Structures are given as C-alpha cells and as structure tokens.
C-alpha cells in the first residue's frame, strides 16, 4: 500500500533581508537606470533644456503629465550629480525584497508624491528631479524594519540615519529653488510603502508544523 505523499512546505519569503537577493542584477539595473538619466540630461542640454518643460506644472492639466516624467529630468549636471550617489545606493538597497516589490514601492512613491506635488506646489510652478523618489526610498529603508520587526533592517536604518540623516531637513520649506513638497511627499509615501510591504510579507508567511 503506497504511503500518502506529504507535500513539501513552500519556501517562506524572508522579510529580514537587507541586500537584494540578486546583488549583481540589482546593481546592473541601477547602473542602467542611472545611465538613462545622464543620457536624458545630455539630450536636454543639447536641445536648450527643452525637456525641462515636461516637469510637474502645479494645477495645470497639461502639466499633470509631468507626474510621470519629472523624476527623469534634472536642472543641469550639478543637480543630477548631487542625486546620483543616493539614487544608486538607496535604489539598490530598496531591492532587498526583490525586483517586483521594488517596482511596486518605486511606483507608489513616484506617482503618489507627484500627484500631491501637482496639487500643493505653488500654482504653475515646475518641479523636476529624482529627489522625491530618493527621499521615498530613504524613508522606506529607515522605517521598514520597525513595521517588519526586523532587527537587521532596523540596524541598517540606524546606519543610514547616521550617514544620511541630514537629508531629512530637505522636507522643510525655506531653500529657494528646492521642492520641499517633493521631498516631504516622497518621504510620506516611502513610509506608506514600508507599511504595505510589511503587511504583505506577514500575510505571505507559511506556517509549518
């Protein structure tokens, strides 16, 4: 008489990971993404900065398309250069939950913060740059460990806070030419993304005897 087959337990998804499951692939994605930003800035400079017209134009219907394009545009090489290192580092670390999760987190921050910038920035002002997404990734990395109850992720958040905590002052108004709205709303959606991811991960756990 054949013994009943006991199904093998499904592998659980780690919620405590602090680096991407495929580090080299994640690094390649960030390098390609970064290279695309530099190509776009080169085109922008070669065409008299005409691409910058596609930013988020607050409360202008045509300017709402900038919600999709604004993070890809920068106000010159210095602006892009200042964003490059945090963009690469935070983006790479945010892939710890896998590429699919990273796409979802990034899309939430990108679109959510863009919509609120369009609604709240000074009328007909233009907002461009990846800073809102970068702030979103940073806050996602800072708080996800508390939502996930992960000591390793909390420790990483503390390290990032020590080295990059000064960036958080960017959510406050007062610096001319800087969209504190993009920083603030990017940060808020980063916290929201961390909460959503933690809830999804807890729901995905497989309980085995």
């Amino acid at each position: 008489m054949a013994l009943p087959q006991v199904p093998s337990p499904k592998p659980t998804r780690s919620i405590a990971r602090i680096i991407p499951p495929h580090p080299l692939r994640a690094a390649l994605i960030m390098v390609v993404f970064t290279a695309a930003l530099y190509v776009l800035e080169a085109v922008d400079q070669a065409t008299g900065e005409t691409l910058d017209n596609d930013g988020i134009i607050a409360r202008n219907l045509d300017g709402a398309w900038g919600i999709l394009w604004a993070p890809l545009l920068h106000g010159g090489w210095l602006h892009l250069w200042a964003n490059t290192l945090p963009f690469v580092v935070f983006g790479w670390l945010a892939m710890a939950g896998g590429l699919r999760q990273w796409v979802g987190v990034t899309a939430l921050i990108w679109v959510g913060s863009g919509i609120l910038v369009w609604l709240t920035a000074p009328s007909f002002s233009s907002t461009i740059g990846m800073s809102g997404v970068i702030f979103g990734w940073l806050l996602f990395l800072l708080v996800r460990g508390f939502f996930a109850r992960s000591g390793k992720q909390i420790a990483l958040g503390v390290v990032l806070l020590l080295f990059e905590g000064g960036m958080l002052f960017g959510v406050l108004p007062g610096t001319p030419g800087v969209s504190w709205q993009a920083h603030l709303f990017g940060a808020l959606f980063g916290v929201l993304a961390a909460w959503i991811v933690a809830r999804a991960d807890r729901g995905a756990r497989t309980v085995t005897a």
Side-chain angles (χ1 to χ4, degrees), residues 13-18 96-97 101 139-157 190-205:
R13 178 171 55 176
S14 172
I15 64 171
R17 187 182 294 277
I18 60 173
Q101 182 188 100
L139 266 293
F140 173 78
L141 294 168
L142 288 178
V143 305
R144 63 176 178 174
F146 295 97
F147 290 127
R149 302 184 182 92
S150 166
K152 289 192 296 184
Q153 290 182 347
I154 292 173
L156 175 63
V191 173
L192 176 61
W195 178 75
I196 292 172
V197 164
R199 282 179 58 90
D201 282 335
R202 286 198 295 271
R205 287 177 182 173

Side-chain angles (χ1 to χ4, degrees), residues 2-204:
L3 295 175
Q5 296 294 318
V6 178
S8 300
K10 296 180 180 179
T12 59
R13 178 171 55 176
S14 172
I15 64 171
R17 187 182 294 277
I18 60 173
I19 64 171
H22 304 286
L24 292 180
R25 184 178 72 176
L28 179 60
I29 290 171
M30 293 311 302
V31 167
V32 171
F33 202 165
T34 303
L37 297 180
Y38 275 82
V39 169
L40 284 170
E41 185 58 32
V43 172
D44 187 42
Q45 295 295 321
T47 57
E49 300 185 337
T50 56
L51 294 183
D52 290 349
N53 296 327
D54 294 325
I56 300 172
I57 312 299
R59 288 179 298 289
N60 176 278
L61 289 179
D62 290 336
W65 287 105
I67 293 168
L68 299 179
W69 313 123
L72 303 174
L73 309 173
H74 289 81
W77 293 113
L78 289 179
H79 185 197
L80 177 56
W81 177 251
N83 278 344
T84 296
L85 183 59
F87 174 75
V88 172
V89 173
F90 299 161
W92 185 80
L93 288 171
M95 288 192 207
L99 182 58
R100 180 179 298 179
Q101 182 188 100
W102 179 80
V103 169
V105 167
T106 302
L108 177 63
I109 296 168
W110 188 308
V111 176
S113 64
I115 290 173
L116 292 185
V117 167
W118 186 83
L119 288 172
T120 64
S123 296
F124 297 99
S125 62
S126 178
T127 300
I128 57 175
M130 190 61 74
S131 299
V133 175
I134 291 171
F135 269 76
W137 283 339
L138 175 59
L139 266 293
F140 173 78
L141 294 168
L142 288 178
V143 305
R144 63 176 178 174
F146 295 97
F147 290 127
R149 302 184 182 92
S150 166
K152 289 192 296 184
Q153 290 182 347
I154 292 173
L156 175 63
V158 170
V159 171
L160 289 175
L161 185 63
L162 290 175
F163 283 95
E164 302 291 348
M167 284 182 58
L168 298 179
F169 289 106
V171 303
L172 301 175
T175 304
V178 175
S179 175
W180 62 270
Q181 294 96 338
H183 297 173
L184 174 62
F185 296 132
L188 292 177
F189 275 96
V191 173
L192 176 61
W195 178 75
I196 292 172
V197 164
R199 282 179 58 90
D201 282 335
R202 286 198 295 271

